[in-house]
Each structure stands twice: as structure tokens, then as C-alpha cells.
Amino acid sequence: MTRELYRAVLGEAPANPAGPRTPVTDVSWLEAVRFCDLLSREAGLDPCYSAGDDPDGQDVVCDPEAGGYR
């Protein structure tokens, strides 16, 4: 995904001097999961992920039947 799309969904994106149309890098797996779920909701799709409180994401569960982004 581009920084432009990431910013549109989350309101912010990691900076890159190459510009907003470059791929997003330097985000954690949990940030990527959060992005996928928010993008799914915006598109009217069922989010694939559910997470608890584990800061390392050990409790993230993916529903393979959900139609959202992964």
C-alpha cells in the first residue's frame, strides 16, 4: 500500500522523502493488521482480524472466512 492510502485510512503515515506514492515501510505487524481491519470496514467488508491486549500480537486471530483485507 502507498503512504497516501495509509494516511487516508489512519490519518498519518511514516515519512519518506521520496513522496506519498511510495510503499509504506517501517510499520509493525500489529499496525498492518489495524490498517487492514480499518480499510475493510471502510470498504464495507468484514474485518479478518481480532486482537486482544498482547503488545506483541500473540493473541491476534484471523478469520479465514471473513472477506476483509489481509
Side-chain angles (χ1 to χ4, degrees):
M1 89 223 47
T2 65
R3 292 170 194 283
E4 187 174 59
L5 176 60
Y6 196 86
R7 180 173 286 114
V9 172
L10 293 176
E12 61 183 354
N16 185 314
R21 307 235 28 203
T22 58
V24 171
T25 58
D26 302 319
V27 296
S28 72
W29 182 73
L30 285 174
E31 291 168 324
V33 163
R34 180 173 163 240
F35 171 82
C36 288
D37 279 351
L38 289 172
L39 184 60
S40 296
R41 286 186 182 98
E42 284 190 11
L45 302 170
D46 292 328
C48 294
Y49 298 101
S50 61
D53 297 325
D54 188 295
D56 295 321
Q58 296 295 316
D59 55 358
V60 172
V61 176
C62 179
D63 178 0
E65 302 299 318
Y69 293 100
R70 292 175 181 80

